[in-house]
Amino acid sequence: AYESASKIMELAFSDFKLTQINAITTKENLSSQKLIEKLGLKYVKEIRLPDDPEDLMLYQLKSEE
């Protein structure tokens, strides 16, 4: 999972010129939290999607340019 996600992030910044990548996961999904953090994303805050009662953890990584 790390290798695939890392490559996609690389392409997102270099080829697609994205300036920011976000990720969300549940509080209970520790495996996803570890992967997201290993990819370099930082926890920002808890969010809630429309029509969804579950709190989610929002992570973010901004490009270095």
Side-chain angles (χ1 to χ4, degrees), residues 30-54:
L30 299 179
S31 296
S32 287
Q33 291 173 34
K34 288 180 184 179
L35 174 60
I36 290 168
E37 291 172 3
K38 184 176 179 180
L39 289 165
L41 286 87
K42 303 294 183 204
Y43 174 77
V44 177
K45 64 181 179 179
E46 285 186 12
I47 64 166
R48 211 176 255 187
L49 299 178
D51 300 320
D52 186 352
E54 187 170 20

Side-chain angles (χ1 to χ4, degrees), residues 2-50:
Y2 174 79
E3 291 80 12
S4 298
S6 180
K7 185 62 176 177
I8 289 170
M9 288 175 50
E10 178 186 325
L11 292 172
F13 286 133
S14 66
D15 292 5
F16 294 100
K17 307 298 184 212
L18 296 183
T19 59
Q20 178 176 301
I21 293 176
N22 294 327
I24 56 173
T25 190
T26 61
K27 294 178 188 177
E28 296 80 22
N29 194 337
L30 299 179
S31 296
S32 287
Q33 291 173 34
K34 288 180 184 179
L35 174 60
I36 290 168
E37 291 172 3
K38 184 176 179 180
L39 289 165
L41 286 87
K42 303 294 183 204
Y43 174 77
V44 177
K45 64 181 179 179
E46 285 186 12
I47 64 166
R48 211 176 255 187
L49 299 178

